[in-house]
Amino acid sequence: MAEYFERVLTDAATNVYEERYEVSSENFLGEAAPPWRMTKFRLHGGKQDGVDVVEMDNGELTVVLLPTRGMGILEAYTSELSLGWQSPVRQVVHPAHVDEETCGGLGWLEGFNEFICRCGPAYHGDPGPDMVPTNTGALHQVTLPLHGTIANTPAARVAVRVRPRPPYELSVVGEVYDTRMFGTCYRMESVVSTVPGSSEFAISDTIENLGGTPSELELLYHCNYGPPLLGEGAQVLAPVEYVCPRDQHTLEESGSWDTYGAPEAGYAERCYFLRLHGDENGKTVVALVTPDGSRAATIRYSVQQLPAFTMWKNTAAEADGYVTGLEPGTDYPNSRRFERERGRVVELPPGGTYETKLRLAVVSDPQKVAKLRDEVDSLVRDKPSEVAAALDPDYCPDA
Amino acid sequence: MAEYFERVLTDAATNVYEERYEVSSENFLGEAAPPWRMTKFRLHGGKQDGVDVVEMDNGELTVVLLPTRGMGILEAYTSELSLGWQSPVRQVVHPAHVDEETCGGLGWLEGFNEFICRCGPAYHGDPGPDMVPTNTGALHQVTLPLHGTIANTPAARVAVRVRPRPPYELSVVGEVYDTRMFGTCYRMESVVSTVPGSSEFAISDTIENLGGTPSELELLYHCNYGPPLLGEGAQVLAPVEYVCPRDQHTLEESGSWDTYGAPEAGYAERCYFLRLHGDENGKTVVALVTPDGSRAATIRYSVQQLPAFTMWKNTAAEADGYVTGLEPGTDYPNSRRFERERGRVVELPPGGTYETKLRLAVVSDPQKVAKLRDEVDSLVRDKPSEVAAALDPDYCPDA
Amino acid sequence: MAEYFERVLTDAATNVYEERYEVSSENFLGEAAPPWRMTKFRLHGGKQDGVDVVEMDNGELTVVLLPTRGMGILEAYTSELSLGWQSPVRQVVHPAHVDEETCGGLGWLEGFNEFICRCGPAYHGDPGPDMVPTNTGALHQVTLPLHGTIANTPAARVAVRVRPRPPYELSVVGEVYDTRMFGTCYRMESVVSTVPGSSEFAISDTIENLGGTPSELELLYHCNYGPPLLGEGAQVLAPVEYVCPRDQHTLEESGSWDTYGAPEAGYAERCYFLRLHGDENGKTVVALVTPDGSRAATIRYSVQQLPAFTMWKNTAAEADGYVTGLEPGTDYPNSRRFERERGRVVELPPGGTYETKLRLAVVSDPQKVAKLRDEVDSLVRDKPSEVAAALDPDYCPDA
């Protein structure tokens, strides 16, 4: 028996496609792993018609992946807690129903309801003008729409992978091709994996420039949390080196940047741009802690891979999406032109790759939450930590 | 046995989907209703690939509904007469093939061939600039494209409902979610129903603002009639309080606003904006009468719910769509900005609902057509009735 | 037995649709034709989900057709040679994933990877402003996006046709409706046919103006060749009357316009506009010959039907699409406004048709390549043949 069991569910290159598939610990009798199950199915009807879903249930935590939406993660949940949020967007929206260009480049918002969706890879952030090459090699100005293309690009290859003996592991592997003639050409290989019985999962992405010339890369992980984690008095824990409010009305609230208010109809989003401290290897952790301090969700990653952190505070009415985004990125979600001018846009050579790894977990025990506070404190101890007192032109287009 | 029999054919929330379904009076033996049949199927191939259709045949009249196109009605027909028209658009177009933004905001026209399609709900009418909020709460100017989004939004839930004993009734129930993050969020519940053996059907729509803040609503029922009802000498009957031509070339023909010419290649559409009288409860009726006066199609509704009536006269060559639109609406199909400035755009509070009801019928008997004339006459008797002699700035952007 | 065997695989009008189908010479026992096979299937997963494919294998040559992409031809291959190219676009892209309007009107490029795709029918060529009528008959200015709509329009009717006895013939027949309300309305009937055992196939298209008024037509056959035919030293053979470089950087290379360099990262496309000589009936031939002169691919057509020939030289890095386009057209791929001003846009009356026929072949024998050179030479012998020494304002927007 091979070390891994792998089953290809979609492969555009060979026209393999499984509409339904299920594999579980019952298929590996004799192994001592806790019970687990991976299920693949297709959604039908409404705006979700034709969307493929893979559920990875490790016995404790279930991660729901969306190959059709760029390997995004719709939600993750245990029997006690759900990670994700209630967006006004009610169905999983097939990319065919999303026109990024509508509403002045905000069309991406018509499909936005995942727990985690990637933004990028050629650009992310607010719509804004930028120069891009045409077929003739000349540059022309276009308005790049919000948050890029990858969340609306179906994966060309999807497989489930199982390591049925210690160290046990379940994975969903996806390949997304985001390519065009005379434009940026990226391949993302994403591996989302979890250990049976654990309350965490990991995202390991490798982005490759398939093109023959250097290419700009922007990548942001839009990790979105709503109730029950989010609530009045919920708090973000982060080893802050620097916090900068994005705009004037964010600045006015920046004294309480790390805590959340109750849902408030008409609340206009606040957005903070952060630099975080990491340990000697660059590893950092951020967390969202419930109002009563008893539970938390964490994101662990490397500030070397993802040096920019954005905190999106959108405590609007529940009907309008009461949510916060904790968003590690290569850079900040301003227009690409603004980020390029600050030297924050990655340039990948032909064949070059960029790797990211994030680990996301649920912490359900107050003592572990206390330890988490200690861990965050220790990352920032004896190091500079500043909240900007004014808009900083290195971060804020409005400054 | 319950009062209603109901069968859910699509439910995105629970991933229920029936590709094919049929229920008929044969399933309710012992009931005395005339024979009827409801059939659901999916279209495949061409631009219609993936479009769901529900046919509701009441024994006398068949109504063909399109859940995938916002519960629009493709056509309705008896053994003798068909309601609808021959659009240059030949197939039922799946929304994935419609980009509302193309051709300066006229992309909606690439899917336009229904007997009845709804326009709205956030805006309808001619493309035009308007200010809309972005994610940051700031306003930015966009060009709203023609006629809104609902006709290209697949229903998330579809059911057929039968009342198999007196009073007999067949219904198709659809729920359409037209929602986005940082934008308007509407749910429409539509019930289209008919009585076995009758030559009429009813549309009952409830539009709800799902958002947490007040939201603008524009709604228009684009009811389109071509041959054989429409022909040279066909006439509109309506209890007119006021008729206003939309533009100069419409004005020049407004002496014969209520009658139609023969198909004419190159004819540019005329459009009239009307206010209609209703009875003491606001109920009104409009009709299109065949050239020989022997047959008619009627629309009955409330001028309290739908105070604006638009008559679209497009007697172009048959190849280009020889058609008239009789269009009850909350307001007129000018740009939303124009209508807002005239105070005609509805504002719905959070959770607020707006209800409309229309009854559409076929009248196949000259004596009944004569009675219909009397009915329309009686609604306008002793009341003001005026055809504007010039463009009216309260209705016409060109004035 | 009928002269033809025909099987309808898709018919939107009657909702006929076969997901899988196969017919072969084995179904016609007793006939002496070489073995052949026609296969129809649907692609699933990734961006190609829902794309229909028809493979026509004549025993020697296989032609792969894409009904979902306007009857385009993905590739054609023998056991020794493949016609087509390696585009950065890796999957066959379903039109639902193509938004022609993105990137300043260059969205068409996101689906571009066929051996042969048609551009048109209402416009093709570079994005550019033009006046088009609105519903009211008024003209408004829009930016027409690159290369038109037909390559992203699924065929409404698809059939395979077999003449099982001499003269043997296999055909794929497709009907594409490219229609809209208040806009251009075209029907294309395309017949792609081949003789069992031969190394060539023919495209016979008839475009009909379905509208009630005259309509502009632009049509271009984008025939694209990459390795192994294309390589350093490959050459185009064409009976040139006139060659005009499109722009300044093309002009600088025009001394070697008909030969190709090796792949070169960052190479900006060159483009030449040509008029070709035909024989006394207008028949002409162009060919791409391999670097070693041993093999070639030919296109035969009528300069009366397709008076404009464009040669697109895109010898960029292989990763960016090392390719040349040999492109017979009704006119050149400049903006429609530019072409109209030069009198090159066809106007079709209501009901009018335009016919084109192209024959494409593989030549695998050095002696036949030598004969081909003679044939091209004979077409141009004693006739004018000129390479423009400067940009010609009759052809070049930059001149």
Side-chain angles (χ1 to χ4, degrees), chain B residues 338-360:
Chain B
F338 183 91
E339 291 296 301
R340 180 191 300 118
E341 287 167 358
R342 270 80 190 159
R344 287 191 291 256
V345 175
V346 174
E347 190 173 271
L348 271 192
T353 57
Y354 199 90
E355 294 190 6
T356 64
K357 182 157 187 173
L358 299 95
R359 287 193 298 137
L360 295 106

Side-chain angles (χ1 to χ4, degrees), chain B residues 94-160:
Chain B
H94 191 281
H97 293 292
V98 178
D99 175 3
E100 288 92 343
E101 304 283 327
T102 56
C103 202
L106 296 179
W108 185 91
L109 293 166
E110 299 193 14
F112 176 45
N113 61 7
E114 294 100 331
F115 165 34
I116 303 176
C117 61
R118 294 171 191 82
C119 303
Y123 53 89
H124 66 56
D126 285 338
D130 204 356
M131 303 302 286
V132 300
T134 69
N135 47 319
T136 69
L139 295 172
H140 68 156
Q141 180 170 304
V142 299
T143 295
L144 298 177
L146 181 71
H147 282 338
T149 48
I150 198 164
N152 289 296
T153 305
R157 188 175 185 279
V158 182
V160 294

Side-chain angles (χ1 to χ4, degrees), chain C residues 16 18 49 68 73 87-88 95 112 119 186 190 237 270-271 327 369 382 392:
Chain C
V16 166
E18 304 274 353
D49 197 73
T68 307
I73 295 174
S87 170
F112 176 45
C119 303
Y186 286 107
S190 171
L237 305 181
R270 268 68 171 178
C271 200
E327 310 170 6
V369 175
D382 302 326
D392 182 339

Side-chain angles (χ1 to χ4, degrees), chain B residues 64-333:
Chain B
V64 182
L65 294 104
L66 301 174
T68 307
R69 291 189 53 83
M71 302 305 298
I73 295 175
L74 181 63
E75 57 178 338
Y77 56 88
T78 67
S79 58
E80 292 183 358
L81 191 62
S82 174
L83 304 183
W85 61 301
Q86 286 302 312
S87 170
V89 176
R90 300 302 171 99
Q91 302 161 70
V92 181
V93 180
H94 191 281
H97 293 292
V98 178
D99 175 3
E100 288 92 343
E101 304 283 327
T102 56
C103 202
L106 296 179
W108 185 91
L109 293 166
E110 299 193 14
F112 176 45
N113 61 7
E114 294 100 331
F115 165 34
I116 303 176
C117 61
R118 294 171 191 82
C119 303
Y123 53 89
H124 66 56
D126 285 338
D130 204 356
M131 303 302 286
V132 300
T134 69
N135 47 319
T136 69
L139 295 172
H140 68 156
Q141 180 170 304
V142 299
T143 295
L144 298 177
L146 181 71
H147 282 338
T149 48
I150 198 164
N152 289 296
T153 305
R157 188 175 185 279
V158 182
V160 294
R161 198 182 280 168
V162 176
R163 198 158 55 194
R165 54 188 55 169
Y168 301 110
E169 194 180 53
L170 312 175
S171 303
V172 180
V173 185
E175 288 182 29
V176 180
Y177 287 83
D178 192 328
T179 66
R180 52 197 56 72
M181 186 70 190
F182 297 119
T184 53
C185 291
Y186 286 107
R187 189 180 77 103
M188 176 181 78
E189 185 182 76
S190 172
V191 182
V192 176
S193 53
T194 189
V195 173
S198 80
S199 56
E200 68 171 64
F201 67 98
I203 301 172
S204 296
D205 291 345
T206 304
I207 316 283
E208 180 182 355
N209 175 10
L210 297 177
T213 55
S215 190
E216 290 185 325
L217 176 76
E218 293 192 305
L219 204 57
L220 179 143
Y221 291 84
H222 216 299
C223 309
N224 309 298
Y225 300 87
L229 274 171
L230 185 65
E232 184 175 7
Q235 189 187 7
V236 164
L237 306 181
V240 169
E241 180 185 350
Y242 186 58
V243 178
C244 176
R246 183 186 59 184
D247 46 32
Q248 190 60 35
H249 78 277
T250 302
L251 176 65
E252 287 160 12
E253 250 192 38
S254 62
S256 57
W257 75 270
D258 61 346
T259 57
Y260 297 87
E264 178 186 337
Y267 182 92
E269 65 170 29
R270 269 66 170 178
C271 199
Y272 297 91
F273 298 141
L274 284 80
R275 292 198 314 267
L276 300 186
H277 291 296
D279 68 12
E280 64 282 10
N281 297 312
K283 299 292 174 60
T284 195
V285 60
V286 293
L288 178 67
V289 180
T290 53
D292 67 0
S294 67
R295 295 185 293 181
T298 56
I299 311 176
R300 295 172 184 277
Y301 64 96
S302 158
V303 295
Q304 290 158 7
Q305 292 174 342
L306 298 166
F309 182 83
T310 300
M311 189 271 220
W312 171 52
K313 195 191 259 195
N314 191 63
T315 50
E318 296 210 22
D320 293 328
Y322 177 69
V323 61
T324 187
L326 307 184
E327 309 170 8
T330 55
D331 55 351
Y332 300 99

Side-chain angles (χ1 to χ4, degrees), chain A residues 149-381:
Chain A
T149 48
I150 197 162
N152 288 296
T153 305
R157 188 174 185 279
V158 182
V160 294
R161 196 183 281 169
V162 177
R163 197 159 54 194
R165 54 190 54 170
Y168 302 110
E169 193 179 54
L170 312 175
S171 303
V172 181
V173 184
E175 288 182 31
V176 180
Y177 287 84
D178 192 327
T179 66
R180 52 197 55 71
M181 186 68 189
F182 297 119
T184 53
C185 291
Y186 286 108
R187 188 180 78 104
M188 176 181 76
E189 185 184 76
S190 172
V191 182
V192 177
S193 53
T194 189
V195 173
S198 79
S199 56
E200 67 170 65
F201 67 98
I203 301 173
S204 296
D205 291 346
T206 303
I207 316 284
E208 180 183 356
N209 176 11
L210 298 177
T213 55
S215 189
E216 290 186 325
L217 175 77
E218 293 191 305
L219 204 57
L220 179 142
Y221 291 84
H222 215 300
C223 309
N224 309 299
Y225 300 87
L229 274 171
L230 186 64
E232 185 176 5
Q235 189 186 7
V236 164
L237 306 180
V240 169
E241 181 185 348
Y242 185 57
V243 178
C244 177
R246 184 186 58 186
D247 46 31
Q248 191 59 37
H249 78 277
T250 301
L251 176 65
E252 288 160 10
E253 250 191 38
S254 62
S256 57
W257 75 271
D258 61 347
T259 57
Y260 297 88
E264 177 186 338
Y267 182 93
E269 65 169 29
R270 269 66 169 178
C271 199
Y272 296 92
F273 297 141
L274 283 81
R275 292 197 315 267
L276 301 186
H277 290 297
D279 68 12
E280 64 282 10
N281 296 313
K283 298 291 173 59
T284 196
V285 61
V286 294
L288 178 68
V289 180
T290 53
D292 68 359
S294 68
R295 294 186 292 181
T298 56
I299 312 176
R300 294 171 184 277
Y301 64 95
S302 158
V303 295
Q304 290 159 6
Q305 292 174 343
L306 298 166
F309 182 84
T310 300
M311 189 271 219
W312 172 53
K313 196 190 259 194
N314 192 64
T315 50
E318 295 210 23
D320 293 330
Y322 177 69
V323 61
T324 187
L326 307 184
E327 309 170 7
T330 55
D331 56 350
Y332 300 98
N334 296 304
S335 76
R336 187 174 66 180
R337 173 185 282 181
F338 183 89
E339 291 295 301
R340 182 191 300 119
E341 288 167 358
R342 271 78 188 160
R344 288 191 291 255
V345 174
V346 175
E347 190 172 272
L348 271 193
T353 57
Y354 199 89
E355 293 190 7
T356 64
K357 182 157 186 171
L358 300 93
R359 286 193 298 138
L360 295 105
V362 171
V363 179
S364 302
D365 170 340
Q367 289 183 307
K368 289 184 179 162
V369 174
K371 281 184 65 175
L372 186 62
R373 286 186 192 276
D374 292 343
E375 182 186 358
V376 170
D377 287 347
S378 73
L379 282 171
V380 73
R381 191 168 307 140

Side-chain angles (χ1 to χ4, degrees), chain C residues 115-136:
Chain C
F115 165 34
I116 304 176
C117 62
R118 293 172 190 81
C119 303
Y123 52 89
H124 66 57
D126 285 339
D130 204 356
M131 303 302 286
V132 299
T134 70
N135 48 318
T136 68

